[in-house]
């Protein structure tokens, strides 16, 4: 392998490691009863586990390797753009532009062939047009919702999120497959029973 390619790959992996420092709004419950904010790398790991559990539960034939590849890269742009909270309308207005600029920097740090391959996976996830991208999106939405339920709705409560606020975000995931609808429906029931998500 070319020494310059080796250095570029190692430098990119060091850059990607910064995803561990990007905090999300979701809270992680700790054994002592406190919570801390989830980071984007933890989200990606948990999301990969969701995909691993669900890929044979959905009707569509899913290429799990492709899904896991998308999951691995889908939030790398947050290293430069930061995490955009799903229920922050002002931040969502600028999200696409911020993340496109970040993609240039993040994927541009790789040798061109590798950068193009990873960027194509990120773009596929964002476009949501393939079966794998729709499945990955469903898993992504499910994981975020689950994280909120696990922390007893703390982030929702902190930001005044209601059930109606969650509907536009969760409906595409629920429509993606009955398995997503069943799991998200069960989470809505848990949230309602726990008073986590007001009507």
């Amino acid at each position: 392998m070319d020494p310059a390619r080796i250095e570029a790959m190692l430098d990119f992996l060091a850059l990607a490691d910064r995803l561990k420092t990007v905090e999300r709004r979701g809270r992680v419950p700790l054994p002592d009863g406190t919570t801390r904010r989830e980071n984007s790398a933890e989200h990606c790991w948990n999301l990969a586990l969701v995909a691993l559990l669900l890929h044979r539960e959905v009707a569509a034939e899913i290429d799990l390797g492709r899904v896991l590849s998308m999951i691995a890269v889908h939030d790398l742009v947050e290293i430069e753009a930061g995490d955009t909270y799903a229920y922050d309308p002002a931040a969502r207005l600028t999200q696409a532009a911020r993340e496109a600029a970040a993609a240039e920097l993040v994927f541009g740090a790789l040798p061109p062939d590798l950068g193009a391959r990873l960027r194509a996976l990120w773009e596929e996830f964002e476009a949501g047009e393939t079966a794998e991208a729709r499945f990955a999106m469903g898993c992504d939405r499910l994981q975020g919702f689950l994280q909120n339920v696990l922390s007893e709705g703390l982030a929702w409560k902190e930001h005044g999120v209601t059930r109606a606020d969650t509907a536009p975000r969760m409906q595409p995931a629920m429509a993606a497959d009955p398995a997503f609808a069943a799991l998200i429906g069960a989470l809505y029931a848990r949230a309602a029973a726990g008073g986590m998500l007001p009507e």
Side-chain angles (χ1 to χ4, degrees):
M1 192 181 298
D2 175 61
R5 188 173 178 85
I6 291 171
E7 289 302 313
M9 290 171 72
L10 291 175
D11 288 348
F12 174 79
L13 290 171
L15 173 66
D17 193 65
R18 289 175 40 206
L19 195 62
K20 297 172 185 175
T21 69
V22 177
E23 289 188 334
R24 295 166 52 87
R25 302 292 173 93
R27 307 294 297 192
V28 176
L30 300 174
D32 67 0
T34 63
T35 65
R36 65 167 174 79
R37 287 174 69 171
E38 177 187 38
N39 70 53
S40 288
E42 291 170 322
H43 160 71
C44 291
W45 161 78
N46 200 202
L47 176 50
L49 188 57
V50 170
L52 183 61
L53 291 176
L54 290 184
H55 83 281
R56 291 196 176 142
E57 302 294 327
V58 297
E61 283 289 321
I62 298 297
D63 179 343
L64 182 60
R66 186 156 194 86
V67 168
L68 293 175
S69 296
M70 276 189 270
I71 288 169
V73 304
H74 87 286
D75 274 346
L76 287 176
V77 295
E78 292 182 2
I79 293 165
E80 297 293 339
D83 178 62
T84 301
Y85 186 49
Y87 305 108
D88 181 345
R92 288 186 57 82
L93 287 175
T94 64
Q95 181 179 9
R98 286 183 291 108
E99 291 186 353
E104 289 292 321
L105 294 170
V106 172
F107 301 121
L110 280 163
D113 62 317
L114 292 176
R117 187 171 70 184
L118 269 58
R119 183 168 185 150
L121 288 163
W122 174 73
E123 289 173 348
E124 181 179 351
F125 179 89
E126 290 297 312
E129 294 173 355
T130 64
E132 284 76 17
R134 287 189 297 274
F135 176 77
M137 174 275 300
C139 292
D140 185 50
R141 305 285 168 90
L142 172 62
Q143 190 280 335
F145 201 93
L146 172 63
Q147 194 64 52
N148 275 291
V149 171
L150 292 175
S151 64
E152 299 180 358
L154 186 57
W156 287 331
K157 292 172 186 173
E158 287 173 347
H159 297 92
V161 176
T162 66
R163 183 182 175 114
D165 294 327
T166 68
R169 180 158 181 83
M170 300 313 296
Q171 190 53 44
M174 294 179 82
D177 189 273
F180 287 117
L183 287 163
I184 294 167
L187 288 172
Y188 267 119
R190 288 184 182 191
M196 302 172 199
L197 197 57
E199 293 294 331

